[in-house]
Amino acid sequence: MSQDRIAQLHKFLEEDPNDPFTIYALAMEYRPTDTGKALTYYTQLLAEHERYVGTYYHAAKLYEELGQNDEAERIYKKGMLISRQEGNLHAFSELQQAYNKLMGLDYEDD
């Protein structure tokens, strides 16, 4: 995590507090070292920018890593719904694969 990059992103957020890309970038920067802050930004994105499809995979994966599988499942499902509505089949496929793996429906390794 680069403190310079974090500072720059916070500056961008001050200039445009509703820019989903900046909020997403902050979540991704904090993810490796401060999961609490990352979750705060992911939660904000999910609440205020539900059509920002990129959020769903990373937010759900983080909840999964934290052992909060019910929340991960909920976010994967919502992400699949939104990505399908948006016509983003690549995101839908990634979300579906991650969801299937979480639910024990991943048969590729059998």
Side-chain angles (χ1 to χ4, degrees), residues 13 19 22 65:
L13 193 60
D19 178 28
T22 302
E65 290 167 11

Side-chain angles (χ1 to χ4, degrees), residues 93-107:
S93 176
E94 285 184 337
L95 287 161
Q96 187 174 47
Q97 287 175 7
Y99 171 80
N100 287 348
K101 190 170 184 178
L102 173 69
M103 302 308 291
L105 304 172
D106 183 15
Y107 303 114

Side-chain angles (χ1 to χ4, degrees), residues 10-30:
H10 279 290
K11 185 175 181 224
F12 290 155
L13 193 60
E14 285 176 28
E15 293 167 4
D16 185 359
N18 292 315
D19 178 28
F21 180 76
T22 302
I23 300 166
Y24 177 79
L26 279 164
M28 296 300 286
E29 282 295 317
Y30 280 118

Side-chain angles (χ1 to χ4, degrees), residues 16 19 25 30 34 41 45 57 61 74 86 91 101 108:
D16 185 359
D19 178 28
Y30 280 118
D34 191 335
Y41 288 113
L45 281 165
Y57 177 87
K61 194 53 97 172
R74 184 188 71 76
E86 294 291 307
K101 190 170 184 178
E108 290 180 53

